[in-house]
Amino acid sequence: MNLSSSFEDDLREALLDDVEQRARSEIAPEVQERAHEILEAYGSRHDYNVSTLIEAGKTWVERTDRDVRVRWGWPEPAIYFDRGTADHQIKARNVDMLSFVWEDRHDPPTWVREEYEREGNGYRVFLLEVHVEGLPESRFIRDALHFVRRWLAR
């Protein structure tokens, strides 16, 4: 049997074509979906709106002449949802004031209701600093990576 001199290159290209196609059509979407399912369940459990994190999630499939890489990414605040945070102070830096809507569901104290204007489902407040309860960890990134490892091992 005679093999062409480009046999190994042709085989490598065919294999990379297959891996890239599977990465785009199966691996990337399934892992992204799994991460978002975990994040949605976390949001429901803790009454957090996580839709902006989910909408900002991105997937990249990159191919070189040697490999195919799949990357997932979310904006920086996602890591705080993944790992959780301790109770902490947020102070205005590089701005004069912090401004946010203190939602009714978080039971604004009387002084907020008396001092600030109603906006949407709460009160628009302007503060120099605020004490924030920590976030419990969601592990949505880590659990999604464990999911992909199990998926690739099957």
Side-chain angles (χ1 to χ4, degrees):
M1 170 187 252
N2 290 332
L3 295 175
S4 72
S5 61
S6 65
F7 171 76
E8 288 180 357
D9 291 338
D10 294 344
L11 183 59
R12 182 182 307 108
E13 282 301 308
L15 181 60
L16 286 172
D17 286 346
D18 183 58
V19 170
E20 180 182 17
Q21 187 277 326
R22 288 189 73 204
R24 290 184 190 284
S25 65
E26 296 175 43
I27 299 169
E30 286 187 31
V31 173
Q32 189 87 348
E33 181 180 334
R34 178 68 180 146
H36 292 167
E37 286 171 357
I38 295 167
L39 194 53
E40 285 171 342
Y42 170 85
S44 292
R45 233 180 3 262
H46 299 287
D47 198 23
Y48 296 144
N49 180 352
V50 295
S51 63
T52 54
L53 282 179
I54 289 172
E55 291 166 9
K58 300 286 184 228
T59 303
W60 299 268
V61 176
E62 301 164 342
R63 177 179 171 168
T64 69
D65 59 340
R66 298 180 53 182
D67 60 22
V68 175
R69 297 176 186 174
V70 181
R71 298 182 337 166
W72 296 271
W74 292 270
E76 183 179 345
I79 197 68
Y80 301 119
F81 282 86
D82 184 67
R83 294 181 180 167
T85 64
D87 293 357
H88 58 283
Q89 289 289 116
I90 298 176
K91 296 181 181 185
R93 293 192 186 132
N94 302 322
V95 293
D96 295 330
M97 292 276 179
L98 299 171
S99 178
F100 58 93
V101 174
W102 194 321
E103 294 180 345
D104 293 330
R105 67 188 178 118
H106 295 295
D107 195 25
T110 303
W111 65 268
V112 167
R113 293 183 200 147
E114 291 173 353
E115 190 171 330
Y116 295 101
E117 295 292 320
R118 200 133 170 86
E119 183 177 317
N121 57 352
Y123 297 85
R124 170 66 59 186
V125 297
F126 300 91
L127 303 168
L128 293 174
E129 65 182 32
V130 64
H131 179 80
V132 179
E133 287 184 21
L135 294 170
E137 69 176 1
S138 71
R139 299 184 57 97
F140 85 99
I141 296 171
R142 290 176 283 177
D143 288 351
L145 291 175
H146 292 309
F147 173 82
V148 74
R149 286 184 192 110
R150 287 190 305 273
W151 193 93
L152 291 171
R154 59 181 173 166

